């Protein structure tokens, strides 16, 4: 399939919220430099956001050592205006664990599960924890290296828990070439039956890697699922705080079969959200859209929460029927 790495545009069904970005470092009382890549869900009649904090000096555009990264939390009555709690709620730091970050939230049977990434001294791992109060977290499982970007489906399928994930097969692939996989578990601790869901070659606007975005939402047509897609252009030079940044992250949308979610019913042929707004083009890293939360409202509106520029958190909306139609009628999988 031909890969397009030129100009990309956001789909016309998407509406960025006029108050974007909805969460920035200025909203957080303990003064991180960057606030982004949040997981968002609805729980007990309120919106809950867990978000990544990176620390440093935004004026000098420098970051502190990575072990200062942690996870904060905020609550909202409308999904737009957030009450940020005064302290971070989750971090891992000892002789083996370096940091935890990029959380995702899923409610299953009345309990809140958080997937997260962990940098360790022996590789990248993906974790799953459960909480009932957002103060105490029980870690249920950690993958072997290297795996992360995990998201849980909100219900069991054929009696098993199911997750999407992105392993890192660098040795066998020779370079960045990461795909989206699915695995199953009877108890959220032991995982297996891994199956490929989407390869990089299936996504026309990616030439480097793809992976899960937000936890899937259920529709009568299938599991509506966001992905992140990455393209590299070697002509890109210094962008953002780093000496060089040649990647661009976009958000895509696909529809998975309700009973066999490794089966892709449709993948929209273009990005759903591409970096275009100032807050998506300027920051620590430029040209970054990373979806981490998706909520289906009773009126059919879908709120899609995404990190922008690895710097702030934003939200966009669309109608669920429009998103399904994109996947089924403008799919590259036909």
């Amino acid at each position: 399939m031909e890969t397009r790495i030129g100009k990309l545009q956001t789909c016309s069904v998407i509406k960025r919220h006029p108050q974007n970005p909805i969460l920035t470092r200025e909203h957080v009382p303990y003064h991180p430099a960057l606030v982004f890549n949040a997981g968002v869900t609805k729980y007990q009649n309120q919106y809950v956001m867990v978000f990544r904090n990176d620390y440093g000096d935004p004026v000098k555009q420098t970051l502190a050592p990575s072990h200062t990264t942690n996870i904060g939390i905020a609550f909202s009555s409308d999904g737009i205006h957030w009450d940020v709690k005064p302290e971070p709620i989750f971090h891992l730091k000892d002789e083996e664990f370096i940091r935890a970050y990029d959380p995702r939230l899923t409610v299953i049977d009345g309990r809140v599960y958080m997937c997260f990434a962990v940098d360790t001294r022996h590789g990248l791992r993906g974790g799953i924890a459960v909480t009932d109060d957002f103060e105490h977290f029980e870690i249920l499982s950690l993958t072997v290296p290297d795996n992360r970007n995990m998201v849980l489906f909100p219900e069991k399928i054929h009696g098993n828990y199911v997750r999407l994930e992105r392993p890192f097969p660098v040795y066998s692939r020779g370079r960045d070439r990461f795909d989206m996989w699915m695995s199953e578990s009877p108890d959220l601790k032991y995982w297996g039956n891994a199956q490929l869901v989407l390869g990089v070659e299936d996504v026309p606007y990616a030439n480097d890697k793809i992976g899960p975005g937000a936890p899937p939402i259920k529709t009568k047509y299938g599991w509506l699922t966001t992905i992140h897609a990455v393209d590299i252009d070697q002509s890109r030079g210094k962008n953002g705080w780093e000496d060089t940044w040649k990647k661009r992250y976009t958000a895509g949308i696909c529809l998975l079969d309700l009973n066999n979610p490794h089966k892709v019913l449709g993948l929209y042929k273009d990005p759903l959200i591409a970096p275009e707004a100032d807050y998506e083009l300027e920051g620590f890293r430029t040209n970054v859209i990373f979806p981490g939360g998706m909520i289906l409202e009773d009126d059919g509106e879908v709120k899609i929460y995404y990190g922008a520029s690895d710097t702030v958190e934003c939200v966009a909306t669309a109608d669920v029927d429009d998103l399904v139609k994109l996947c089924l009628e403008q799919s590259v999988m036909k």
Side-chain angles (χ1 to χ4, degrees), residues 313-326:
E313 187 67 22
C314 303
V315 65
T317 60
D319 183 84
V320 65
D321 291 335
D322 290 339
L323 295 175
V324 169
K325 186 180 295 185
L326 291 176

Side-chain angles (χ1 to χ4, degrees), residues 62-77:
T62 57
L63 286 182
S66 61
H67 66 263
T68 58
T69 298
N70 55 33
I71 293 172
I73 193 167
F75 297 91
S76 172
S77 61

